[in-house]
Amino acid sequence: MLEPSSALGEASPAGISPGIRRALSHIERHFTETLYLEELAGLAGLSICRFVTVFRRQVGLTPHRFICHRRIRYAKALLRDGMPPALAASEAGFFDQSHLSRHFKNICGITPGRYLRDIEAAPQPSRPRPGYAGAIAL
C-alpha cells in the first residue's frame, strides 16, 4: 500500500508550508467527517486550484487521496479490532461498505474481506513453553 509522504503522527517534513500544515492538522482532526476543498484551501490561505497543486507537491498526494488513505488506515484498525465492515466504513467516514471496499481495494490492492482473512491466517507469535529454555541449558 502506498502511504502518504507525511503523517501527522510523525515529524512534519521541512518542505511543508505552514498553510498546508494547518490543512493537514484539520484533516487529521476531522477525517471521519465530510471535508470541503474550500475549507481546506481557506485554512492554507490559497485558492482551491492552487491548494490542490501545492498540497500534491508538498505531501505527495492530492487532498482527496490523502483523506482516503487516512480513512483506510483507520478502517484497517477498526477491522483488526473486530468491527464489522459496514460499521467500520461509516465510522471511518465512508458513505457505506461498498464505498469503503472500492477505496480499500484501490489503495491496498485487496478487499476488506481478504484483508481480514489474511490477518486471521497470519501465524501468531509462539510463546516459549515454561521450562523449555532450562532443558536446553543442561
Side-chain angles (χ1 to χ4, degrees):
M1 177 177 105
L2 296 174
E3 287 292 328
S5 63
S6 136
L8 290 181
E10 304 168 359
S12 296
I16 296 186
S17 66
I20 297 300
R21 284 189 189 157
R22 281 191 300 275
L24 286 168
S25 178
H26 183 77
I27 290 169
E28 186 60 29
R29 287 190 314 271
H30 302 282
F31 69 90
T32 61
E33 304 166 14
T34 302
L35 295 169
Y36 296 97
L37 274 176
E38 295 85 5
E39 182 180 9
L40 296 173
L43 288 168
L46 301 167
S47 70
I48 294 170
C49 292
R50 187 70 185 144
F51 171 72
V52 172
T53 301
V54 171
F55 191 97
R56 184 174 31 86
R57 282 186 187 151
Q58 293 183 10
V59 176
L61 298 169
T62 64
H64 178 260
R65 202 73 179 137
F66 182 85
I67 293 165
C68 286
H69 275 259
R70 182 60 186 98
R71 288 176 176 170
I72 291 296
R73 194 167 55 235
Y74 183 56
K76 286 170 88 172
L78 295 174
L79 291 169
R80 280 191 307 269
D81 289 342
M83 186 174 284
L87 186 54
S90 65
E91 288 291 319
F94 294 101
F95 294 112
D96 55 23
Q97 187 174 346
S98 67
H99 190 218
L100 166 66
S101 293
R102 186 170 57 254
H103 285 286
F104 199 101
K105 185 164 186 177
N106 189 317
I107 290 171
C108 300
I110 58 173
T111 64
R114 176 62 188 257
Y115 174 75
L116 288 173
R117 286 191 298 276
D118 289 351
I119 287 175
E120 291 169 0
Q124 299 298 321
S126 61
R127 295 182 186 154
R129 293 181 289 201
Y132 182 71
I136 294 175
L138 295 174

